[in-house]
């Protein structure tokens, strides 16, 4: 059936890219963007050139350039259109941040309701903008974890509904793998094995990507992720949270003296690649209290002196938060090169990777180590549907997908949701005692599941 059409040579095909990233229109919409991806032009399918038409105004020209020159190492189907749905947490659209600003974080129940309100509309708008209908799709990809169950459920239900009623296969996507693999869409040289640092609101991961679906976790956070520390710093400094806290801190930090407050770099004494941001958060809170900064007074109404005090804290926090990333990355690169000496790239992705200071500092680390930094454009670093659709394509090409769900599936059908789902197995040297307590109720890692199914397949082939 669907897989039999695979033709292995994409570079000679004229591809037509349809990509729609929707920014959601109103306050009640913390749903991710939804994307349609890769559609070869039917009339021009076999022209001997590789070229793309990009239908996404939000994508920057430089990204388009690198993309259009791309050799497409991994596209193997000449008629592949995958719908990607991402609802693992909240969205990064301005409208969403407005909603979240009042709460200073993601309230799962509220996010669930908002996802539910707009999911149908988002899917329909994406299809309309791409000038496609569900009948044009090859498969549906959807994030099944990790994330908030309540939110994941909305996306998965919608994906199963679309797939079920149009007899389409489903690809269940790991949110962090999607953050990683989207880099392969933008960087043509990016072949396995490579390293990745994934930095977002809920995750702080250092991984070695050996192959598609084969990851070693070199380090993770033992408490909070860096994005969470940015968000709380922004909230306590009384910054405008409409675009989420990170961008507000980044902006204010430019006005501050990064050496003015002496925060301690976390986990200096730990010779591993794990992270911790809870202590730094506390240090920031105490510094804010000591300077008697009142978060109720907005930055715009603060006096010059007060604004400077806030900027100094923002800059000092950012310097130390990123130093922590730099130090652990440096060690992780050494570990990774020992395991896979052929590594050439470090991917930095996830919401915090849109930060210019983060990019610049990590670029230096990576250059010192003789590697190249790959950082997707900000619109693809923060949660988006493109990354899910792309990951769907990568797995689909290898035959890793589920058959279409039954049409008219009951609303209360039990769904395969994986709120706590590691990407890979922990590297033995990187195991943290502090974390081992927290592994209860975890789903087996993506890597172990894929390895088990490959083993099963090879046994049944004998
Ligand atoms: O990947 P993402 O969109 O969602 C999660 O999976 O968490 O990441 C969101 C996080 C938020 O904590 C947000 O404050 C942070 O990424 N972020 C930033 C920046 N843009 C987004 N942090 C620092 N600087 C930024 N420019
Ligand atoms: Zn994310």
């Amino acid at each position: 059936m669907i897989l039999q059409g695979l033709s292995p040579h994409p570079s000679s095909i004229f591809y037509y890219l349809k990509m729609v990233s929707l920014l959601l229109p109103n306050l009640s919409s913390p749903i991710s963007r939804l994307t349609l991806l890769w559609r070869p032009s039917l009339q021009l399918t076999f022209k001997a050139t590789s070229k793309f038409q990009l239908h996404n105004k939000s994508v920057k020209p430089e990204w388009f350039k690198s993309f259009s020159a791309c050799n497409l190492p991994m596209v193997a189907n000449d008629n592949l259109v995958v719908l990607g749905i991402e609802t693992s947490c909240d969205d990064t659209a301005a409208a969403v941040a407005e909603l979240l600003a009042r709460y200073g974080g993601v309230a799962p129940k509220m996010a669930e309701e908002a996802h539910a309100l707009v999911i149908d509309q988002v899917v329909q708008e994406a299809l309309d903008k791409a000038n496609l209908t569900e009948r044009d799709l090859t498969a549906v990809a959807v994030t099944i974890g990790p994330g908030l169950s309540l939110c994941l459920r909305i996306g998965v239900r919608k994906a199963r509904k679309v797939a079920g009623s149009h007899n389409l296969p489903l690809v269940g996507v790991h949110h962090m793998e999607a953050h990683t693999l989207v880099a392969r869409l933008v960087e043509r040289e990016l072949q396995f094995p490579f390293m990745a640092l994934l930095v977002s609101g809920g995750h702080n991961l250092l991984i070695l990507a050996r192959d598609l679906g084969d990851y070693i976790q070199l380090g993770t956070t033992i408490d909070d992720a860096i994005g969470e520390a940015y968000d709380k710093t922004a909230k306590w400094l009384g910054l405008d949270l409409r675009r989420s806290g990170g961008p507000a801190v980044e902006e204010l930090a430019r006005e501050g003296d990064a050496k003015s407050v002496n925060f301690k770099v976390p986990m200096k004494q730990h010779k591993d690649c794990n992270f911790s941001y809870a202590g730094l958060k506390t240090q920031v809170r105490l510094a804010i209290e000591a300077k008697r900064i009142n978060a109720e007074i907005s930055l715009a109404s603060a006096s010059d002196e007060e604004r400077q005090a806030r900027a100094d804290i923002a800059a000092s926090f950012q310097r130390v938060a990123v130093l922590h990333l730099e130090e652990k990355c440096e060690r992780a690169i050494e570990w990774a090169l020992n395991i896979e000496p052929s590594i050439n790239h470090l991917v930095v992705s996830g919401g915090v990777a849109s930060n210019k200071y983060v990019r610049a500092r990590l670029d230096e680390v990576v250059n010192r180590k003789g590697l190249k930094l790959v950082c997707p454009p900000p619109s693809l670093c923060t949660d988006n549907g493109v990354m899910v659709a792309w990951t769907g394509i990568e797995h689909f090409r290898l035959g890793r997908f589920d058959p279409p769900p039954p049409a008219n599936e009951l609303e209360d059908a039990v769904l395969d949701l994986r709120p706590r789902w590691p990407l890979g197995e922990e590297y033995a040297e990187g195991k943290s005692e502090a974390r081992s307590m927290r592994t209860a109720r975890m789903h087996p890692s993506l890597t172990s599941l894929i390895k088990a199914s490959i083993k099963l397949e090879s046994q049944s082939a004998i």
Side-chain angles (χ1 to χ4, degrees), residues 249-411:
V249 172
E250 180 184 10
E251 207 175 300
L252 184 61
R254 288 195 200 108
E255 300 172 25
D257 173 0
K259 297 261 174 75
S260 59
V261 187
N262 200 8
F263 295 128
K264 205 165 148 276
V265 184
M267 292 189 90
K268 273 272 194 203
Q269 70 285 15
H270 293 253
K271 303 291 174 225
D272 60 16
C273 298
N274 290 314
F275 301 91
S276 164
Y277 281 96
L280 180 58
K281 252 170 59 179
T282 306
Q283 292 184 64
V284 169
R285 188 172 49 74
L286 294 175
I288 289 171
E289 280 169 17
K291 298 230 157 126
R292 299 185 184 283
I293 289 166
N294 182 358
E296 303 278 299
I297 300 171
S298 74
L299 189 65
S301 359
S303 67
D304 285 356
E305 197 186 336
E306 165 111 4
R307 186 183 177 97
Q308 190 59 48
R310 294 188 198 197
D312 286 347
I313 291 177
S316 303
F317 155 74
Q318 178 162 264
R319 188 180 80 87
V320 171
V322 177
L323 249 179
H324 187 28
L325 292 183
E326 292 168 48
E327 289 179 359
K328 298 296 180 160
C329 265
E330 196 150 348
R331 180 173 293 121
I333 292 173
E334 284 158 21
W335 285 10
L337 284 171
N338 271 337
I339 308 169
E340 295 274 10
S342 62
I343 287 170
N344 287 318
H345 296 92
L346 172 78
V347 168
V348 184
S349 184
V352 182
S354 13
N355 182 302
K356 288 205 182 78
Y357 179 78
V358 170
R359 286 170 182 242
R361 299 292 303 190
L362 291 173
D363 196 40
E364 280 183 29
V365 172
V366 166
N367 286 337
R368 268 205 306 277
K369 294 279 176 194
L371 303 186
K372 202 176 150 197
L373 187 78
V374 180
C375 211
S379 59
L380 298 182
C381 276
T382 46
D383 288 353
N384 64 85
V386 177
M387 66 185 196
V388 179
W390 177 251
T391 303
I393 285 176
E394 291 243 44
H395 282 289
F396 183 83
R397 284 179 48 238
L398 298 185
R400 294 177 192 158
F401 56 82
D402 292 331
N408 303 322
E409 190 169 59
L410 292 175
E411 279 280 303

Side-chain angles (χ1 to χ4, degrees), residues 92 175 179 200-202 227 230-231 244-247 250 350-352 354-355 382-383:
T92 52
H175 181 79
H179 272 306
S200 66
Y230 265 99
D231 291 337
S244 81
E250 180 184 10
V352 182
S354 13
N355 182 302
T382 46
D383 288 353

